[in-house]
Amino acid sequence: MIIVSTKKDKKIPYHDKVIESYHTLINGIHSDLINANPIISGSNAIKYIYSPKSECNDIDLYFSSEEEYILAKEILLKKFTNTFETENALSFNDIKVQLIKKDFYSPQDLIDSHDLFNVACAITSDKIYTTQKTHYAWYNRSEEHTSEL
């Protein structure tokens, strides 16, 4: 079951803080990048939703359409030129950002595509997507760590 947290229906604790962190991340890469509607998912999204102290080595940005990917690529190539391209992604080595170009999914379909349910979440400019199973896994993990204190 998909959980969608919005400004009006905050199903994820600290919804506003997570969305603010998303905007800080995207604006930190490039102020125009938000126009391409990037989606963060997997371990980067986990960091903002469930494990804020965790570190990520690089940032994977996903897109719902090829047009959004192309816009993001054009925006970033104006500023960053140290890149490496594969059939799956365009990597910007200086800023440790990868634009995923293999598949284009809606946030809901993107989280369904993850191999591991504990990273099945996605963040957009105004919404947080996860699954009931992912949410319970991280909630139970938090409970275990709290009881150890």
Side-chain angles (χ1 to χ4, degrees):
M1 179 179 162
I2 301 283
I3 297 171
V4 181
S5 182
T6 66
K7 187 162 185 73
K8 288 186 178 186
D9 187 13
K10 297 176 182 172
K11 294 181 179 171
I12 300 294
Y14 309 111
H15 173 91
D16 293 333
K17 208 172 196 177
V18 171
I19 296 300
E20 182 181 326
S21 295
Y22 166 91
H23 283 276
T24 299
L25 172 71
I26 299 304
N27 286 328
I29 298 168
H30 194 289
S31 60
D32 293 335
L33 186 57
I34 196 74
N35 297 323
N37 301 313
I39 303 166
I40 59 172
S41 189
S43 61
N44 280 295
I46 290 294
K47 173 183 176 180
Y48 293 112
I49 301 171
Y50 300 111
S51 185
K53 293 181 181 177
S54 65
E55 301 264 339
C56 297
N57 293 331
D58 60 9
I59 301 163
D60 293 341
L61 298 178
Y62 298 84
F63 301 91
S64 295
S65 71
E66 185 174 10
E67 292 77 21
E68 291 172 337
Y69 162 78
I70 290 169
L71 177 58
K73 177 181 173 179
E74 290 171 352
I75 289 167
L76 294 183
L77 283 174
K78 288 178 185 175
K79 186 173 181 181
F80 307 103
T81 57
N82 185 2
T83 62
F84 179 77
E85 193 163 5
T86 67
E87 71 179 60
N88 295 329
L90 173 61
S91 298
F92 290 82
N93 301 322
D94 294 339
I95 55 174
K96 296 184 179 181
V97 170
Q98 291 189 110
L99 305 182
I100 308 303
K101 65 176 189 171
K102 182 178 180 185
D103 297 306
F104 303 104
Y105 293 121
S106 69
Q108 301 93 322
D109 291 338
L110 177 60
I111 64 174
D112 283 340
S113 73
H114 283 289
D115 294 339
L116 304 171
F117 75 87
N118 65 329
V119 295
C121 58
I123 304 171
T124 64
S125 64
D126 62 346
K127 294 182 178 105
I128 302 167
Y129 300 81
T130 190
T131 67
Q132 197 75 42
K133 192 173 181 181
T134 303
H135 189 64
Y136 283 144
W138 283 95
Y139 177 79
N140 289 335
R141 183 174 178 217
S142 297
E143 289 292 308
E144 289 170 14
H145 290 298
T146 303
S147 64
E148 292 173 3
L149 298 176

